[in-house]
Amino acid sequence: MAIQCDTQILSILDRAQQGKAPSREECVQLLDLADSSLEAAMMRGVADSIARQRFHAPMLQGQIGIEFKPCSADCQFCSFAESFTQFDPFKMAPEKLREHTKAFAESGKPLTALFLMMPHEFDYEFLLDAVRDVRKIISPECRLVVNIGDFTETQAKELKETGVTGAYHVLRLQEGVCTKISREERIATIENVKNSGLDWYYCCEPIGPEHSSEEIADQILLGREYECYQHAAMRRVNFGHSPLKANGSISELRMANVVAVIALAMIENPELTSIAVHEPSGAGLLAGANTLYAESGGNPRDTKEETSKGRGHTMQSCAKMLEEAGWSF
């Protein structure tokens, strides 16, 4: 029995292999594919092949949550949201930060970037001190990235002068609906990052089953519009007191399909250096991703104060997952 494939999808994939990124409408078509369909499997395979030719090597990155507290942004997918958080305010002591940093830097695995994470409202001077401390420990080649709330262009330039090389900043799915932050604020900070010369790390997140293909495509393509340095996909993690728990979660296969669409959509972005899948997923590494994050400290997807004892992966487990997917260090 002959297997029939959608000729429109085949045409999109053929053009992708020739270096032509799909349009917004074509991204929606790809996201509409049934996760387990032959066309989706072919899409993941093409995206994986393109990514391996483009990136050549894996990226192993670490993140330390150095501050958390009840947060007035009140994001319904975040364990720090003030309306339902179970965390007390916390700032990581300098000696503890150095301990976590050394654990990443001296793991025996190649740390390509270290992220410092804080809530939407954060202590800027505390962050500058943390950057100075961390920069003394990690190698000059290791990139230092901040994952923080909105900030000004002046602050972006000061962070760069202090030793930061990039910033992770995202216009989240349903921003302003599931959060108390406006889309305009998030976009303004992305522009501040770009204007300061910092590398811009982006992600389509936090993806849930209620998000339409159109919503997801628009979030993906913001990374193309502003030419992100790294793109990624992250599914929403539901915990006991999250208001979005009733909506359920997407599967790893669905997330892998989103990763594949990202890889195809970003073909013509000259700034792109890598694609991450988060939380770490073997399926995503076979669909266009080459980057994983290990984590310690606070984590907005965890209910444990120290995520390395909860959801957070280690450098070793991430490295093993990358190697199992055929990404060689």
Side-chain angles (χ1 to χ4, degrees), residues 41-56 256 259-261 263-264 282-290 325-327:
M42 294 175 66
M43 174 182 68
R44 294 192 299 272
V46 169
D48 184 48
S49 176
I50 289 171
R52 289 175 193 270
Q53 293 175 53
R54 184 175 190 177
F55 302 136
H56 305 297
V259 169
V261 175
L264 300 178
L285 294 174
L286 299 175
N290 72 322
W327 285 99

Side-chain angles (χ1 to χ4, degrees), residues 33-42 44 251 253-254 257:
L33 292 172
D35 294 340
S36 57
S37 66
L38 175 60
E39 289 85 356
M42 294 175 66
R44 294 192 299 272
S251 67
L253 183 59
R254 173 59 173 165
N257 285 348

Side-chain angles (χ1 to χ4, degrees), residues 4-19:
Q4 299 296 317
C5 294
D6 186 312
T7 56
Q8 283 189 315
I9 300 301
L10 291 177
S11 177
I12 295 169
L13 298 180
D14 182 59
R15 281 184 278 113
Q17 292 177 91
Q18 297 173 39

Side-chain angles (χ1 to χ4, degrees), residues 159-176:
L159 285 166
K160 186 177 181 182
E161 291 169 0
T162 309
V164 171
T165 60
Y168 178 95
H169 208 74
V170 176
L171 177 68
R172 281 81 57 92
L173 287 160
Q174 298 189 1
E175 194 79 73

Side-chain angles (χ1 to χ4, degrees), residues 234-248:
M234 184 177 77
R235 63 177 175 172
R236 185 179 65 241
V237 170
N238 296 314
F239 39 86
H241 44 286
S242 166
L244 298 178
K245 183 180 179 182
N247 291 342

Side-chain angles (χ1 to χ4, degrees), residues 234-308:
M234 184 177 77
R235 63 177 175 172
R236 185 179 65 241
V237 170
N238 296 314
F239 39 86
H241 44 286
S242 166
L244 298 178
K245 183 180 179 182
N247 291 342
S249 301
I250 65 169
S251 67
E252 286 201 9
L253 183 59
R254 173 59 173 165
M255 187 161 65
N257 285 348
V258 176
V259 169
V261 175
I262 289 170
L264 300 178
M266 298 299 287
I267 286 171
E268 297 179 71
N269 173 13
E271 297 298 316
L272 191 73
T273 62
S274 55
I275 295 174
V277 58
H278 199 68
E279 294 173 336
S281 161
L285 294 174
L286 299 175
N290 72 322
T291 303
L292 296 181
Y293 289 80
E295 294 178 281
S296 63
N299 181 341
R301 288 163 286 96
D302 207 342
T303 54
K304 289 186 179 292
E305 291 187 1
E306 175 47 62
T307 194
S308 62

Side-chain angles (χ1 to χ4, degrees), residues 2 50 55 80 96 98 120 153 199 201 206 246 252 303 311:
I50 289 171
F55 302 136
F80 304 150
K96 195 68 177 177
R98 289 190 285 269
H120 182 69
E153 186 174 333
D199 298 325
Y201 293 71
E252 286 201 9
T303 54
R311 300 195 64 88

